[in-house]
């Protein structure tokens, strides 16, 4: 079953604008990860935020995590055409033998 | 450093035929994963190896799918016999994980796109 659910399912913005993508999940997690997938580079890890962290930055990416609401958001600032891709939220539950569970993904289109 | 290698990149077979996929993880990565990604969905874990032992195969359809990781390095995933619903991209990933869990980031290969006719 899919743990994370992303919102919106699709997003289209102009180059230079910011893109905000949301993810909600159902059970307690050890960490939450965001991945990007496009035809050129496949599925690539973007950022990992642990359950005891609230915000993390990496270049133009900003991720927040609210464990009380079981939600996370990914912000891409100053978007570029090369950011066009599918973005997946993936959660890792607590406990032994936990696995990475992906959502269905968000399709982001950045218009030049 | 070299990434995760997979072959073939594309495969077209007819239903009831057999197919095998190969994966070579990043050197030194103890944990290897096989995922199935159906069009329009996120990847779903099929099996996780730590070295050459199986950690989790709870979502592997064992009546038709099998996987092995001999010598704790390369891995093969086999489908026999294939069904129409097996059409998907099969992704291999590896990580430095050593404890049997999945707490760290995973590095994915380019995938094998399987079409079953």
């Amino acid at each position: 079953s899919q743990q994370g659910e992303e919102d919106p399912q699709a997003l289209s913005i102009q180059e230079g604008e910011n893109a905000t993508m949301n993810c909600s999940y159902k059970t307690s997690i050890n960490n939450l990860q965001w991945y990007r997938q496009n035809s050129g580079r496949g599925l690539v890890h973007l950022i990992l935020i642990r359950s005891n962290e609230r915000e993390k930055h990496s270049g133009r990416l900003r991720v927040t995590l609210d464990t009380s609401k079981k939600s996370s958001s990914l912000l891409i600032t100053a978007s570029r055409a090369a950011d066009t891709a599918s973005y997946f939220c993936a959660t890792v539950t607590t406990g032994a033998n936990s696995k990475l569970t992906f959502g269905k993904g968000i399709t982001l289109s950045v218009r030049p | 450093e070299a990434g995760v290698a997979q072959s073939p990149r594309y495969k077209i077979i007819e239903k009831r035929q057999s197919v095998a996929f190969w994966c070579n993880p990043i050197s030194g990565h103890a944990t290897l994963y096989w995922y199935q990604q159906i069009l329009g969905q996120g990847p779903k874990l099929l099996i996780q190896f730590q070295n050459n032992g199986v950690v989790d195969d709870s979502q592997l359809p064992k009546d038709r799918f099998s996987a092995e990781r001999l010598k704790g390095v390369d891995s093969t995933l086999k489908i026999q016999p294939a069904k129409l619903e097996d059409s998907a991209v099969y992704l291999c990933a590896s990580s430095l994980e050593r404890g049997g869990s999945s707490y760290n980031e995973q590095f994915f290969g380019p995938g094998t796109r399987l079409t079953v006719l």
Side-chain angles (χ1 to χ4, degrees):
Chain A
S1 63
Q2 307 234 295
Q3 156 84 310
E5 290 190 12
E6 296 96 340
D7 169 65
Q9 290 187 343
L11 183 60
S12 181
I13 59 173
Q14 200 74 34
E15 203 166 26
E17 294 180 337
N18 295 341
T20 299
M21 291 168 270
N22 302 301
C23 170
S24 60
Y25 58 91
K26 297 174 183 175
T27 60
S28 295
I29 60 171
N30 173 278
N31 68 69
L32 184 145
Q33 303 176 29
W34 286 90
Y35 286 78
R36 178 182 64 207
Q37 185 175 42
N38 59 30
S39 57
R41 296 195 59 193
L43 190 63
V44 175
H45 179 269
L46 294 177
I47 197 164
L48 182 154
I49 186 165
R50 302 193 188 282
S51 60
N52 61 352
E53 298 174 313
R54 291 296 167 258
E55 187 171 312
K56 210 163 181 179
H57 297 255
S58 177
R60 294 185 295 114
L61 306 179
R62 172 178 168 253
V63 170
T64 62
L65 179 65
D66 187 335
T67 53
S68 67
K69 295 181 179 178
K70 292 187 169 59
S71 67
S72 172
S73 68
L74 172 67
L75 169 68
I76 303 175
T77 59
S79 64
R80 305 166 181 168
D83 294 327
T84 294
S86 293
Y87 290 81
F88 293 91
C89 152
T91 55
V92 180
T93 53
T94 53
N97 296 340
S98 59
K99 57 177 174 278
L100 190 65
T101 304
F102 286 82
K104 292 185 177 181
I106 297 171
T107 301
L108 173 65
S109 298
V110 182
R111 303 185 302 274
Chain B
E1 84 187 347
V4 176
Q6 289 188 247
S7 68
R9 293 295 307 277
Y10 305 91
K11 190 73 178 178
I12 300 174
I13 61 173
E14 295 189 348
K15 60 183 180 184
R16 291 188 290 273
Q17 286 187 324
S18 303
V19 65
F21 314 125
W22 173 82
C23 172
N24 180 243
I26 293 172
S27 177
H29 280 195
T31 302
L32 184 147
Y33 312 82
W34 282 101
Y35 289 85
Q36 179 193 60
Q37 185 176 20
I38 292 172
L39 187 64
Q41 297 184 20
K44 182 185 84 169
L45 179 69
L46 292 175
I47 189 167
Q48 176 183 344
F49 291 95
Q50 184 184 349
N51 297 312
N52 60 353
V54 175
V55 173
D56 184 348
D57 63 357
S58 57
Q59 299 187 105
L60 186 74
K62 298 181 187 64
D63 57 334
R64 297 183 301 105
F65 286 66
S66 64
E68 60 182 8
R69 190 182 184 197
L70 298 176
K71 301 180 182 178
V73 181
D74 293 5
S75 177
T76 56
L77 176 69
K78 297 179 181 177
I79 307 175
Q80 179 179 10
K83 293 185 175 181
L84 296 177
E85 59 261 36
D86 297 332
S87 293
V89 175
Y90 290 84
L91 296 165
C92 179
S94 69
S95 78
L96 286 167
E97 206 72 51
R98 295 189 181 277
S101 57
S102 301
Y103 292 153
N104 294 320
E105 69 175 289
Q106 296 181 20
F107 297 83
F108 284 80
T112 297
R113 184 177 297 277
L114 174 67
T115 302
V116 182
L117 303 175

